[in-house]
Amino acid sequence: MTATVRDPDSVLQFYRTLLQVRRDSAALASGAFAPVSAAAGVVAFARTSAPESMIVALNVSAEQRDAGLSATIDGAARYRVVAGTHRPAVFEVELAAIVLAPLEAVVLRAV
């Protein structure tokens, strides 16, 4: 257990990051929920609470997938990764260009 607590890449640390992101985000904590159209094998939804817009996208398949998200959601095209299983936080992405690794999950905040 001690090694897990100290490992920045452990599942425990990822859960702690997710909990902190949720605590820091009005959109994730209590914002309006809307499903987002995505490619087969990808589940996505938006949470919004003015002025913040967040998107959560999950590749539930065992293959790499183009997320198939529209070019803009809630008027924003660029999003910053705030938590993810395969890419570092603060990495910026264009919604229309997101490709998710197998079983990747990502939480994005509109820039």
Side-chain angles (χ1 to χ4, degrees):
M1 178 69 169
T2 303
T4 301
V5 170
R6 292 187 183 134
D7 180 2
D9 296 323
S10 71
V11 172
L12 173 64
Q13 292 302 330
F14 181 64
Y15 283 171
R16 285 180 173 172
T17 298
L18 289 176
L19 290 169
Q20 186 64 50
V21 168
R22 185 171 186 264
R23 277 192 295 273
D24 294 344
S25 168
L28 289 176
S30 61
F33 172 89
V36 172
S37 179
V42 176
V43 176
F45 61 89
R47 297 288 305 259
T48 56
S49 179
E52 185 180 49
S53 178
M54 305 286 280
I55 294 175
V56 176
L58 310 130
N59 178 359
V60 296
S61 77
E63 298 177 8
Q64 179 175 301
R65 301 269 186 204
D66 178 327
L69 301 176
S70 50
T72 62
I73 295 176
D74 292 328
R78 292 194 61 78
Y79 281 74
R80 176 171 291 120
V81 175
V82 293
T85 56
H86 291 67
R87 56 186 92 205
V90 304
F91 187 82
E92 284 191 21
V93 295
E94 299 265 343
L95 280 183
I98 294 177
V99 175
L100 297 171
L103 305 174
E104 180 177 4
V106 66
V107 180
L108 308 164
R109 176 180 286 128
V111 177

